């Protein structure tokens, strides 16, 4: 059930009228429903029938420390892709043994930080990275746990920019190269192979792609076993798609049932790295109509606040915080940024006038995390609703914040 619903024609997040939030914290602003985040996490956590798997929430989709904290308290691990995300997860109280470090360009500094923190594993993305981690492990005189991220050579994902599992993509290691890496690791004094991992793309609606990936991972695990290596986990990454327009989408339960079926004779722990399917529908972005100009509804949120429509032509539903019975008109909803791509929605039917409060739906994933200061605009605040209460979990930036790191010549 959605926790963003109209009550007497006023839009509520849980039991809070979103107009109260806009009045207190202004617009644009991101509003999260705690209940939605928790229920989405639980729908993964409770779906395992066989052995309890490990859910490593993908920090890149929504990285606010308060959100990470609440997921950590529910038992979540974390999928990280940078030293910054490592620091965030640790700051939120994460158990390092539930942190998986992925990413194709891990630096010396980031690898050493992960080694020092004793994280669960590095997902190795290239032969060169394997040698780098081995060298840094030796320098720390530690045996470091690693998994190999393989590229399953699958064309999957919602948009060209978020496909990751094709042969030509920059991610993962091709199937025919895996065994030689596994061989090297199994003979290394400083690396220990404890898993296999993959991530085939994002916003995937077709569960068959996960089924094929599970078949690949099973086959690879069998081959690695033949080398005398026992694995601790099989990590199938994230990528489960969600509905952006009230259509049906597969659930975590559907996904996990398929994976468990394919891997029924394996004893390794299953790891998943969901982002969007936990955070996506947990937030709206509030924005006010500044002006009406012909067919344009000009709002105060720009592509710097939410880049998905401009970058991926993503479609987000938009509601008026006050429902009206009059006939909707068709608008092009645009923001203040000086670019013609700053369009939130094109030919969109909505009833709205100057001064109205609008809510852009399903922005919890890759929303605030991808915001920027373009046009020297302040990043918006984040507010967490819990029942009838709401708390600010990130302040709106100030103009002083925007200038803080700049050094004036001759100052
Ligand atoms: N694991 C790895 C290694 C990933 O690269 C990603 C996302 C995930 C897990 C989480 O995927 P999810 O469950 O959220 O689909 N900015 C784009 C999405 C980029 C996804 C990048 N990788 C968007 O707004 O659609």
């Amino acid at each position: 059930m959605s926790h963003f619903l109209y009550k007497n024609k006023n839009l509520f997040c849980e039991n809070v009228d979103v107009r109260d939030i806009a009045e207190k914290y202004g617009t644009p602003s991101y509003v999260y429903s705690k209940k939605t985040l928790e229920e989405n996490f639980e729908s993964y956590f409770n779906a395992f029938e066989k052995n309890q798997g490990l859910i490593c929430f993908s920090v890149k989709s929504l990285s606010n420390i308060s959100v990470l904290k609440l997921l950590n308290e529910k038992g979540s691990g974390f999928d990280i892709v940078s030293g910054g995300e490592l620091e965030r997860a640790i700051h939120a109280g994460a158990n390092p043994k539930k942190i998986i470090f992925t990413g194709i360009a891990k630096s010396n500094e980031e690898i050493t930080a992960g080694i020092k923190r004793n994280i669960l594993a590095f997902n190795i993305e290239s032969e060169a990275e394997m040698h780098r981690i081995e060298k840094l492990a030796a320098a720390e005189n530690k045996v470091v746990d690693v998994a190999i991220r393989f590229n399953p050579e699958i064309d999957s994902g919602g948009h060209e920019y978020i496909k990751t599992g094709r042969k030509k993509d920059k991610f993962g290691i091709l199937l025919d190269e895996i065994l030689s890496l596994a061989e090297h690791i199994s003979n290394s004094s400083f690396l220990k192979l404890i898993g296999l991992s993959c991530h085939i793309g994002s916003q995937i609606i077709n569960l068959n792609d996960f089924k094929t990936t599970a078949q690949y991972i099973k086959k690879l695990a069998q081959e690695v076993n033949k080398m005398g290596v026992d694995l601790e986990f099989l990590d199938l990454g994230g990528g489960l798609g969600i509905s952006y327009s009230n259509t049906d989408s597969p659930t975590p339960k559907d996904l996990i049932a398929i994976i468990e079926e394919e891997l029924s004779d394996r004893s390794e722990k299953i790891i998943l790295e969901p982002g969007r399917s936990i955070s996506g529908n947990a937030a709206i972005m509030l924005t006010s109509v500044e002006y009406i100009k012909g067919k344009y509804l000009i709002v105060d949120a720009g592509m710097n606040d939410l880049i998905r429509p401009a970058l991926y032509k993503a479609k987000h539903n938009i509601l008026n915080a006050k429902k009206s019975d009059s006939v909707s008109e068709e608008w092009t909803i645009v923001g203040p940024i000086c670019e013609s791509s700053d369009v939130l929605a094109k030919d969109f039917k909505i009833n709205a006038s100057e001064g109205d409060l609008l809510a852009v739906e399903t922005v919890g994933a890759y929303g605030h995390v991808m915001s920027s200061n373009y046009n020297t605009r302040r990043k918006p605040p984040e507010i967490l609703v819990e029942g009838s209460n709401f708390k600010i979990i990130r302040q709106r930036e100030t103009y002083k914040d925007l200038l803080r790191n700049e050094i004036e010549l001759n100052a």
Side-chain angles (χ1 to χ4, degrees):
M1 180 196 132
S2 170
H3 296 293
F4 298 93
L5 289 174
Y6 284 108
K7 294 183 191 174
N8 292 327
K9 301 197 172 179
N10 295 318
L11 185 65
F12 274 65
C13 171
E14 301 192 14
N15 298 324
V16 175
D17 187 327
V18 300
R19 290 173 308 169
D20 294 341
I21 301 176
E23 201 165 292
K24 182 148 189 201
Y25 294 113
T27 55
S29 51
Y30 278 76
V31 177
Y32 300 89
S33 152
K34 184 176 182 208
K35 207 162 186 187
T36 310
L37 287 164
E38 289 179 339
E39 285 178 2
N40 287 347
F41 177 76
E42 281 159 9
S43 66
Y44 270 99
F45 195 75
N46 298 332
F48 291 92
E49 296 275 336
K50 204 179 148 205
N51 300 319
Q52 183 60 45
L54 177 62
I55 302 304
C56 290
F57 175 65
S58 191
V59 173
K60 69 172 84 64
S61 77
L62 167 56
S63 63
N64 187 292
I65 287 171
S66 296
V67 171
L68 301 186
K69 252 190 178 157
L70 77 90
L71 292 174
N72 183 52
E73 277 160 22
K74 288 259 146 204
S76 188
F78 297 100
D79 150 51
I80 60 159
V81 290
S82 68
E85 290 190 351
L86 175 62
E87 280 313 298
R88 268 186 188 282
I90 296 290
H91 191 91
N95 173 353
K97 282 291 164 209
K98 288 188 181 174
I99 294 179
I100 286 276
F101 199 155
T102 311
I104 60 165
K106 302 176 193 87
S107 67
N108 284 351
E109 190 189 352
E110 289 174 321
I111 294 169
T112 302
I115 294 175
K116 288 197 159 134
R117 293 284 190 192
N118 280 319
I119 61 169
L120 172 57
F122 290 90
N123 282 340
I124 292 180
E125 302 240 18
S126 63
E127 187 181 348
E129 184 196 334
M130 174 185 74
H131 292 304
R132 178 91 70 94
I133 297 178
E134 188 173 31
K135 207 170 101 197
L136 294 168
E140 294 295 321
N141 200 20
K142 274 191 171 166
V143 178
V144 169
D145 292 337
V146 294
I148 301 175
R149 174 177 178 180
F150 69 97
N151 177 330
E153 301 169 26
I154 284 179
D155 189 341
S156 192
H159 182 277
E160 178 65 19
Y161 292 177
I162 56 177
K163 293 181 177 187
T164 51
R166 297 164 301 182
K167 195 168 184 172
K168 62 176 182 183
D169 291 322
K170 65 181 180 179
F171 303 97
I173 292 168
L174 295 178
L175 294 167
D176 55 8
E177 294 167 18
I178 304 244
L179 292 182
S180 73
L181 263 71
E183 179 84 48
H184 179 92
I185 298 170
S186 64
N187 292 319
S188 167
S189 312
F190 295 102
L191 298 178
K192 184 173 178 216
L193 185 60
I194 66 163
L196 292 172
S197 80
C198 61
H199 170 74
I200 56 175
S202 198
Q203 186 54 16
I204 300 165
I205 299 291
N206 182 358
L207 288 182
N208 263 329
D209 294 340
F210 289 104
K211 191 180 166 114
T212 313
T213 308
Q215 287 162 351
Y216 274 131
I217 211 168
K218 176 174 161 173
K219 201 160 164 277
L220 277 174
Q222 285 163 346
E223 292 187 34
V224 169
N225 288 159
K226 279 190 212 146
M227 298 168 64
V229 177
D230 286 333
L231 298 170
E232 292 172 25
F233 68 79
L234 301 177
D235 172 0
L236 283 110
L240 185 64
I242 61 170
S243 165
Y244 281 93
S245 53
N246 286 328
T247 47
D248 277 348
S249 53
T251 64
K253 201 167 174 50
D254 300 332
L255 170 68
I256 289 172
I258 283 189
I259 294 173
E260 284 196 324
E261 190 188 330
E262 290 305 321
L263 302 180
S264 58
D265 56 351
R266 302 297 309 178
S267 57
E268 295 91 350
K269 190 185 259 302
I270 293 171
I271 295 185
L272 294 172
E273 305 170 359
R276 190 192 311 266
S277 47
I278 290 180
S279 51
N281 67 354
I284 54 172
M285 180 179 67
L286 295 176
T287 179
S288 304
V289 179
E290 288 286 5
Y291 300 103
I292 288 180
K293 180 179 177 183
K295 65 170 183 172
Y296 291 114
L297 208 57
I298 305 176
V299 297
D300 63 1
M303 62 195 278
N304 71 297
D305 301 297
L306 177 70
I307 202 173
R308 299 195 73 257
L311 188 58
Y312 313 116
K313 297 214 178 325
K315 289 193 168 40
H316 288 262
N317 193 34
I318 303 174
L319 303 170
N320 194 314
K322 184 130 192 92
K323 203 174 192 171
S324 140
D325 292 328
S326 17
V327 186
S328 299
E329 281 176 68
E330 209 166 77
W331 299 99
T332 293
I333 307 179
V334 296
I337 298 289
C338 302
E339 297 227 13
S340 296
S341 59
D342 186 20
V343 176
L344 257 182
K346 210 170 171 314
D347 304 330
F348 190 85
K349 277 203 171 130
I350 190 166
N351 197 297
S353 0
E354 192 176 308
D356 279 5
L357 179 66
L358 308 184
V360 185
E361 290 193 293
T362 329
V363 298
Y366 311 106
H368 197 287
V369 287
M370 292 180 82
S371 64
S372 77
N373 295 119
Y374 189 36
N375 281 200
T376 305
R377 285 167 52 84
R378 298 167 294 170
K379 287 191 190 175
E382 296 182 290
I383 294 112
L384 184 71
V385 172
E386 180 178 10
S388 308
N389 300 314
F390 57 97
K391 273 192 201 133
I392 185 131
I393 55 172
R394 181 197 297 268
Q395 304 278 5
R396 185 182 308 283
E397 282 181 325
T398 61
Y399 289 124
K400 214 170 163 191
D401 288 335
L402 298 186
L403 302 181
R404 189 167 358 117
N405 290 327
E406 289 177 46
I407 297 158
E408 284 178 67
L409 278 181
N410 306 324

